[in-house]
Amino acid sequence: MEGITFFSGLWFCLVAVLIAGYFILDGFDLGAGVLYPFIAKTKTEKAVIRRSIGPVWDGNEVWLLTAGGALFAAFPPAYATTFSGFYLAIMLVLFGLIVRAVSLEYRVHDEKWGGLWNLLFFLGSLLPALLFGVAIGNVYAGIPMSALGDYTGFPLFGLITPFTLLCGVLGLLMFMAAGASWIAQKAPKPSELQERAAKIRTILQICTLGVFVIVTVYALFGINLEMLGGLAAILRYLFAALFVVALIAAIFFGKKGNDLFSFIAQSASAFVLVGLFAASMFPNLVIASANSVGQNITIMNAANSELTLMWMTIITCVGLPLVLLYHVISYRTFRGRLTDEDLDY
Amino acid sequence: MDILSDVALLSRIQFAGTVAFHFLFVPLSIGLGLILAINETRYYKTRDPEDAAATRLWVKIFTGTFVVGVATGITMEFSFGTNWANYSRFVGDIFGAPLAAEALLAFFLESVFLGVLVFGRKKVSPKFYMVSAWLVWFASMLSALWILIANSWMQTPAGAVLASDGSRAILNDFFAAALNPSIFARYTHTVNSVLIMGAFVAMAVAAWYLLKDRNIHFAMKTMRIGATVAIITSCLMLVFAHSSAMVVVNEQPTKFAMMEGMYETETPPLYLFGWVDQEGQKAGGLSIPGGTSFLATGDWNATFPGLNDLAKDPMYSELDPANLPVNFVFQTYHIMLAMYVLIMISAILAIFFSYGKGKIRNMKWLQRLLLIAPLFPFIATQTGWITAEVGRQPWVVYPNAAAPGVSMLTDDAISVSVTSVELLITMLLFLVVYALLLVAWIRIMSGFIKKGPEPATEALVESMGGE
């Protein structure tokens, strides 16, 4: 396409990959946090859930910082418009992430405030898990923008429509399914917690499929986004099909009792869902709604200079292999189901 | 009620408040990271149960502090987009890259190996565990480098030109931008100050045990480690602070004039304390005539441009000397200097009396001094940072000859779509949430310290895994 260079196209894909990485990794620990008060009946079960995500949640969350940084570094107008336009929503996500991080670390040392930390861990997981989908729904459905790209709609409540709420619910279900899937493959087996997680995992995955169909139909017929044909169209069909296949595989593996494979298939579904979103948006980054003065923010009008993108690519070529290595080390060190001994670290 | 509807001012207050809070915990965790790594290395060498107990305690203290830094750090990365959208659009070609690099190259390393430190004691070899402690510290030092590259570029922009339509800055030389004129001086100055902070907190913990007359072995070991780090870093500070000041003199003359309260071109004296009369545009106080001039140039009689003359320079034409918080910057700068004197005195006393016979064990007054001494580096880093940030006003991107035309007034940097009502709501929420964090942190830390290191037994060493 005209105006899209090798580097700007590459960075569109890289930002999508970083978002997908975030949704997969922090997805399961956010989901575990949402399920935490419902799925864990005893103190030990609560401790198992916290311990299962304890060594990895921080690294998972760095994917969000990297994705945000990459959006800023590659397409600053898109970063500026969305973060300032979604101001209160972003702040709610932020407060969620803050209290969740601290409650997760402090709960184990603080019996007296245990109830408060448990509540904050749940709320702090719920807010981001719900609002990320709402934000993505808005980017896709379009927001009113000034000529300079500043959001002109009503703060926070202007962002909530039936469609964006549905996107929020889809995201929440995805995160919760991933959380249940994570717990099901980390909890001791056999245990009541593991059985409960496995059961709710299947229910959540079926609900996800249902809501996905509704969102897709709504997006295709209710929102008139002009989408590119050609390769982008092929990728859209492919990703949509793969999403359904991956989720069905996750359900299938779960039924077979292969919890690890079920989790991997669940993760794959999150990856292709972000792929589907990216292929639908390309080459747009933020859609301007029909009543907007401003234009869509696109790769063409938002990309940074080639020099900056080249340096960012060099930094990524050095950094990304290292990041993957750290993750291999971390997930290998803490692999396998938890035992009683793991709760005393 | 003008203030309550001024989006630029409210955004500045929110940013200042959240970054100041963040800047309590992150520096402390970088400083404590070094103390932890030293302790862990000592254990690795000795396999002494006491060292095992010590390093386990430091992991807890470090992690409990680190997590608040992480949590409040997300605020900062988001805030450029949420509250400073015009700024983000203007500098995005340069400023986004170091933030992304910080996450990619430093945060991942830090977070993954912190996971190993907290949960992996029994899962990895002692050597791997020790290396993890150093990696966490190294990563935190690296993240400080990237964020200071970003901040220093705002102070002394380089390697960029203004786009032909004037809408944004465009990178034209990556290395010139990253290695901008102030980065080395500001990085060494800042990082050294946070190491002082960690050392002083370690000494305060030790002093508390000495005062309570318990865990004496642990306390004396910790005191010696803290005092050693403190004396080295406090001495290095003389060099780093001087080079940092020289960069301000050469690259940010209006900041230097504010720090010394100079409205007119003059030979700056060295104030011990003083006051700036902003109406009368004059500074007064107890001072050594020509002292600052001597420190900056070796000449007691060199003159430096005052704010009124600088405002006539085309590069600084946006400067309005009558509307600058000169006294505020003067005071914060001189408080920082005063704190440094206290830091130096405390470090010398600590090193002198903790080695040898360890006389400090019976010196209650010195123990009490070192117990409150962390206040000095805490106040010094906060006031120093305020000096750096308020001193560059009215610009958010300070004009520099190395990037002609690339500058931005703070008032122009705001998010147009964010209203003052939204800001008031979030400021209130920040107040509530951060107050909770502070109270919780204090509770958790005092809990750890009161409980103290675990009993030093052979079983403890065994529980930590062998080769």
Side-chain angles (χ1 to χ4, degrees), chain B residues 255-274:
Chain B
K255 185 192 281 183
F256 180 68
M258 283 167 84
M259 283 155 61
E260 295 297 346
M262 296 193 306
Y263 283 91
E264 303 306 332
T265 300
E266 59 175 284
T267 301
L270 182 63
Y271 285 102
L272 303 179
F273 48 86

Side-chain angles (χ1 to χ4, degrees), chain B residues 28-57:
Chain B
L28 180 57
S29 64
I30 299 177
L32 289 179
L34 178 61
I35 303 292
L36 164 63
I38 292 173
N39 265 292
E40 173 56 31
T41 309
R42 186 203 280 263
Y43 166 70
Y44 179 73
K45 285 192 177 148
T46 62
R47 299 298 157 90
D48 182 336
E50 274 195 9
D51 291 333
T55 152
R56 281 174 69 95
L57 178 62

